[in-house]
Amino acid sequence: MRAARLYAPHDVRIDDIPTPEAGPGEVLVRVRAVSICPSDWRLYEDGHASGVVPDHPMIQGHEFSGDVAALGSGVSGPPVGTPVAVEPTWACGECDLCREGLPNLCRHIIFPSFPQRDGALAEYIACPADAVSPLPPDTSYGVGALIEPLGVGLHAVRLAELRATDHLVFLGAGAIGMCTLLVARAKGARDLTVVEPLCERRDWPARLGCKVVASYEELGKQGIEGDVVFECSGENTAVEQAMRVTRPGGKIMVVGIPHPDVVSFDSTIPRRCELTLLFSRRSRHALEESLHLLATGQVDLAALPTRNYTLDQTQEALDATAARPGDMLRAIVTP
Ligand SMILES: [Zn+2]
Ligand SMILES: [Zn+2]
């Protein structure tokens, strides 16, 4: 099969490699769409993920959809040919955290596209059968690839334990910010403010009836505070900015992955205001509810702007992710 493999920073090559087989308990997926996550770009840029360096030319990509191509032994479905979405957090099911119902924190977690496990930027990938679920009818593969970021938003909203009266502030209207916001709206939140410096990205939340401003300083000028602030920008300085716009006694949910990893902030703010700082890790048991939100029209992922690339253009798709053009929330590669 053809696969896009990362050899070194900014060095992606299209290789012919053996097609994987569906092992026991696995489903072989013919990949049809891969959404490029900023975390893919970071590995491509830095050559490591939180210090872990790939030990082989690795295949990236963990936000994907495709068709069932084959079933391994012991697997009864979905039938071959079924379009599916895939939850890419593969837990052992046996450690103490899995037994407590926290598979996203599994001590032996496998995440395709985190070194050393190959991801989905290839024609085929073998996945655990319980990580695969049929897409709703008439769902495009591109939208199917966005089910994973939707699950990230769903997990963050669940962990934040929102109250009906909460005023929510979102820092960043990229794909993760928009997915988190869409879930919060679907759950009944109506008082929403978005901070987004990129002019073109302000349209999407504005169309949904959100108040949208260009910087967190503007929130201060307008006297706007969030009961819950979702940090979705991945900007290193945004954690302190989030603290500055959170109401005393409020919460900050860090959904974005700060880059660089080390974050510092003035501790006076969270201490005096008794703020709660929460972190979410990918998603947990989110696949079925994400598909339900999509199937019932409670969230419309098709409205999010994407750009399509072929597998040969994978490097372009990664570069576009870094450039963050305002009219594209995600680059979608079609292997
Ligand atoms: Zn991702
Ligand atoms: Zn486990």
Side-chain angles (χ1 to χ4, degrees):
M1 69 169 181
R2 300 178 79 238
R5 298 206 293 177
L6 180 70
Y7 280 73
H10 294 263
D11 181 6
V12 173
R13 304 179 203 173
I14 307 301
D15 292 334
D16 256 315
I17 60 171
T19 300
E21 288 180 9
E26 287 184 338
V27 168
L28 185 67
V29 174
R30 170 67 176 94
V31 182
R32 298 296 183 190
V34 183
S35 157
I36 302 292
C37 179
S39 67
D40 294 319
W41 169 74
R42 282 179 189 167
L43 179 58
Y44 164 80
E45 173 77 11
D46 299 341
H48 65 87
S50 302
V52 183
V53 178
D55 62 1
H56 66 289
M58 73 164 288
I59 304 172
Q60 297 189 267
H62 56 268
E63 303 175 358
F64 63 103
S65 67
D67 298 318
V68 174
L71 303 176
S73 65
V75 179
S76 55
V80 170
T82 306
V84 290
V86 180
E87 163 54 57
T89 293
W90 302 341
C92 76
E94 287 166 12
C95 72
D96 55 332
L97 294 161
C98 281
R99 285 199 306 270
E100 276 176 45
L102 304 170
N104 60 323
L105 307 180
C106 170
R107 295 186 192 275
H108 312 288
I109 203 151
I110 291 173
F111 192 75
S113 82
F114 186 84
Q116 315 303 340
R117 182 74 178 217
D118 282 329
L121 278 164
E123 288 175 315
Y124 293 90
I125 183 172
C127 310
D130 62 3
V132 168
S133 196
L135 283 174
D138 303 320
T139 304
S140 71
Y141 294 113
V143 164
L146 297 176
I147 290 292
E148 195 273 342
L150 184 65
V152 169
L154 173 60
H155 182 52
V157 168
R158 284 175 181 163
L159 286 184
E161 298 183 333
L162 303 180
R163 300 166 301 182
T165 54
D166 280 339
H167 175 224
L168 309 183
V169 171
F170 296 81
L171 302 187
I176 291 295
M178 286 305 297
C179 284
T180 308
L181 187 154
L182 287 169
V183 172
R185 279 183 90 249
K187 301 263 178 203
R190 287 294 172 267
D191 195 2
L192 311 169
T193 302
V194 175
V195 180
E196 173 53 62
L198 293 178
C199 178
E200 300 94 323
R201 288 191 174 182
R202 279 180 230 141
D203 276 358
W204 298 95
R207 271 184 228 174
L208 296 170
C210 304
K211 183 179 183 65
V212 189
V213 299
S215 71
Y216 87 99
E217 288 96 337
E218 261 184 61
L219 291 186
K221 278 186 210 150
Q222 296 186 29
I224 297 173
E225 292 176 327
D227 295 293
V228 181
V229 177
F230 289 91
E231 197 317 89
C232 302
S233 71
E235 297 292 336
N236 181 283
T237 52
V239 176
E240 180 168 322
Q241 291 176 8
M243 291 173 176
R244 292 183 184 277
V245 297
T246 305
R247 187 174 154 265
K251 300 177 199 173
I252 295 136
M253 167 58 77
V254 180
V255 195
I257 303 174
H259 189 253
D261 292 314
V262 176
V263 171
S264 60
F265 52 83
D266 178 350
S267 65
T268 316
I269 314 162
R271 181 176 59 76
R272 287 199 179 147
C273 298
E274 216 170 67
L275 301 182
T276 302
L277 183 59
L278 298 163
F279 291 86
S280 66
R281 173 65 164 159
R282 296 175 184 152
S283 67
R284 178 153 75 227
H285 303 305
L287 181 59
E288 295 308 325
E289 188 175 348
S290 300
L291 289 166
H292 177 75
L293 288 170
L294 191 67
T296 53
Q298 294 180 76
V299 300
D300 179 13
L301 292 177
L304 300 183
T306 55
R307 271 192 209 167
N308 294 321
Y309 297 84
T310 64
L311 189 66
D312 294 303
Q313 296 170 317
T314 296
Q315 193 147 342
E316 269 176 61
L318 285 156
D319 289 333
T321 300
R324 299 204 305 158
D327 62 343
M328 179 198 92
L329 287 193
R330 277 288 200 258
I332 305 282
V333 174
T334 307

